[in-house]
Amino acid sequence: MRVAPEPTRTPAAASSELRAAIRRDVPGDAREYARWASRKLAEAVRIIDDTERRQRRAVWDLLCGGQAVAARTMAEAMGAPLPAAARVAVVACGDADPDAIADLLDRGDPPAWVVRSPGDAASLVALLPAVGASVSGIRPGAPSPGGTDPALPGVVRELTRRHPRTRIGVSPVVDMTRAAVGYAQARHALSAAGLAPEGYARFCAWLDPELLMARQAAAWADGVLSPLARHEARRRSDPDGADLLDTLDVWLATRRGAGERLGIHRNTLSGRLRLVERLAGRDLARVDDRAELSLALRVHALVRHGASDAFGAVDPAGRDRPLGSAGGRNDASRTAVPGDEPHRLPLGLPALQEWAHAGLRPLAGGIGGPDARTLRVWLDHDARLAAAASALSLSVPGARKRLVRIGGVLGLDLLHAANAEADLWLAFRVADRRLSTVLADEENRRAS
């Protein structure tokens, strides 16, 4: 055959070109054999492509499992070496062909390292090599999602320009030992990208505050969740502590779909939630209590899995430690924050203060402006849209439109994202504490 398909050609393109050559150059008595050869070639190319996809998925699984050295070795053996540092991008392809998206990413300068997203054939994960950029974890003060960000690779803007329905979430620059953290950040940024007119969002300081305070808040989270974790079922059909924690976690994340996800009747779900309220001494109708429980669950999950926060590793002694066990509420080995007791939420943590300042800074007028007032009213009315609209003298559609606009400024989906209300509640608590401290210091200076 005169046509030798290049390795980068798709099976369909290679087979089509070969059939055209057969019709043009092969005598009639040999065409049947040539057609058979073209089918075999297309099948061989498909097998090669499938093998490479499986290998890339294996490399990605190693990276997410913290085995960066093994992943790098396997990638080099494939002839597709991993970058030393990269931004992790999660691409929701929408109605675009994932292969076309992958091809565009592969033709970037430098080319991206692309793999199919775990559990979603219509999504891609791409490692966008960082050229001359510094490696960073969570950097308070990062640009807000949806804003013009010159640090983003040009291929991201080009991709959303060519495919307007595509959505992309991008992490900060991370080295390959932190690929799993970058992937989590990119997934969060993807949820904000739906609100961005450009179609892409970069992970900013807003998201995942538990990463900033995992060590310091571990004792607080232990104290909040211990009454639930210690609960013992009286009958075989009753929920135990693990069931209650799982129920609370799923309900906080999905609300209306919680019963279906848990596989229980809605009456059973209601009974479990009433038991959670009684044991924890909380009212799940109040945004304060929901926010504290959500943050406690997220901090505890990090500590249990031994994850690292943005400014240091979680104390290894806390790994897989049952709630309420020794070393919990009064563990003196944990890092203390001035002005915060060990069993309290560490609102005075400097990293958390920077996080809140960076997150609220895009609001018009800052924390005392009209946008902040709207958000405070919404939180004061337990994130209930109708009640907040009445307090703001707005119609419900008007209040919804305003919250969507403010959410777009902040990079948060206030009406749907699972953790948005908890993160916003925490940011205002931290900002108010910082402001009261500054005012108190100023008053002391005047008095002296």
Side-chain angles (χ1 to χ4, degrees):
M1 295 293 100
R2 295 184 180 182
V3 178
E6 299 175 3
T8 56
R9 290 181 182 166
T10 64
S15 180
S16 176
E17 191 168 350
L18 185 56
R19 283 197 299 271
I22 290 170
R23 286 192 298 268
R24 184 176 63 249
D25 298 332
V26 178
D29 56 354
R31 286 182 183 176
E32 189 62 34
Y33 176 78
R35 291 193 187 96
W36 173 85
S38 71
R39 289 195 299 270
K40 288 297 181 182
L41 175 61
E43 182 181 351
V45 174
R46 276 196 298 270
I47 291 173
I48 291 171
D49 285 353
D50 185 60
T51 300
E52 183 178 0
R53 287 177 182 174
R54 290 173 182 271
Q55 289 174 332
R56 285 179 177 259
R57 178 60 187 275
V59 171
W60 179 247
D61 288 343
L62 288 172
L63 281 176
C64 291
Q67 302 181 55
V69 175
R72 192 175 297 280
T73 301
M74 183 174 180
E76 289 175 354
M78 291 169 51
L82 293 169
R87 299 180 189 274
V88 181
V90 177
V91 184
C93 299
D95 56 359
D97 180 11
D99 289 333
I101 300 288
D103 184 60
L104 179 61
L105 291 168
D106 188 56
R107 287 189 278 111
D109 185 23
W113 200 95
V114 185
V115 64
R116 294 280 182 162
S117 181
D120 186 359
S123 297
L124 301 172
V125 177
L127 300 178
L128 307 174
V131 179
S134 60
V135 176
S136 61
I138 299 175
R139 185 75 63 188
S144 298
T148 301
D149 183 3
L152 277 177
V155 68
V156 172
R157 292 185 286 272
E158 177 65 15
L159 199 156
T160 53
R161 185 186 68 80
R162 292 193 185 187
H163 304 281
R165 300 191 60 148
T166 299
R167 294 293 177 263
I168 309 175
V170 186
S171 79
V173 178
V174 296
D175 61 38
M176 292 302 94
T177 62
R178 290 175 56 83
V181 174
Y183 177 67
Q185 293 170 350
R187 292 281 300 180
H188 281 298
L190 182 64
S191 66
L195 301 172
E198 296 87 351
Y200 57 81
R202 182 183 172 193
F203 180 86
C204 69
W206 256 120
L207 304 166
D208 289 347
E210 66 271 20
L211 292 172
L212 300 172
M213 60 177 182
R215 288 184 302 177
Q216 295 83 358
W220 167 81
D222 193 342
V224 171
L225 300 178
S226 286
L228 301 177
R230 291 197 301 260
H231 176 70
E232 297 180 359
R234 295 182 179 180
R235 298 174 299 180
R236 181 175 298 179
S237 59
D238 291 343
D240 59 10
D243 292 329
L244 293 180
L245 290 174
D246 189 43
T247 299
L248 178 62
D249 193 20
V250 172
W251 182 80
L252 287 171
T254 58
R255 305 291 172 84
R256 292 183 179 179
E260 183 177 352
R261 282 192 58 184
L262 292 165
I264 59 177
H265 191 271
R266 61 182 181 181
N267 292 340
T268 304
L269 174 63
S270 298
R272 288 190 184 184
L273 294 177
R274 286 194 298 270
L275 181 57
V276 166
E277 290 180 318
R278 180 171 62 82
L279 293 174
R282 307 276 174 162
D283 182 358
L284 294 178
R286 299 183 66 248
V287 72
D288 303 55
D289 289 339
R290 292 199 302 267
E292 289 199 3
L293 289 168
S294 174
L295 289 167
L297 285 167
R298 289 149 64 185
V299 169
H300 175 63
L302 277 180
V303 176
R304 186 177 70 247
H305 293 104
S308 296
D309 64 19
F311 295 96
V314 172
D315 182 2
R319 297 184 184 182
D320 298 320
R321 177 177 52 78
L323 284 167
S325 62
R329 285 180 75 91
N330 299 311
D331 187 353
S333 67
R334 299 195 182 277
T335 305
V337 178
D340 284 309
E341 299 177 25
H343 61 280
R344 293 186 182 274
L345 192 61
L347 301 178
L349 189 66
L352 207 57
Q353 292 179 349
E354 293 177 1
W355 167 85
H357 174 71
L360 296 173
R361 183 171 52 190
L363 291 175
I367 62 172
D371 285 354
R373 178 179 176 273
T374 296
L375 294 176
R376 289 180 185 276
V377 169
W378 180 64
L379 291 174
D380 287 343
H381 289 80
D382 299 315
R384 290 180 289 117
L385 186 60
S390 177
L392 292 167
S393 300
L394 295 172
S395 65
V396 171
R400 180 184 292 107
K401 184 177 180 180
R402 183 180 294 186
L403 287 172
V404 168
R405 177 188 62 79
I406 297 173
V409 170
L410 296 178
L412 293 173
D413 186 355
L414 299 177
L415 300 179
H416 304 102
N419 296 329
E421 71 174 32
D423 290 353
L424 196 59
W425 173 87
L426 177 63
F428 276 118
R429 286 282 305 275
V430 172
D432 290 345
R433 184 186 188 281
R434 184 178 185 179
L435 180 60
S436 64
T437 301
V438 171
L439 293 176
D441 291 344
E442 182 65 24
E443 186 67 26
N444 290 335
R445 279 196 298 269
R446 289 179 181 176
S448 61

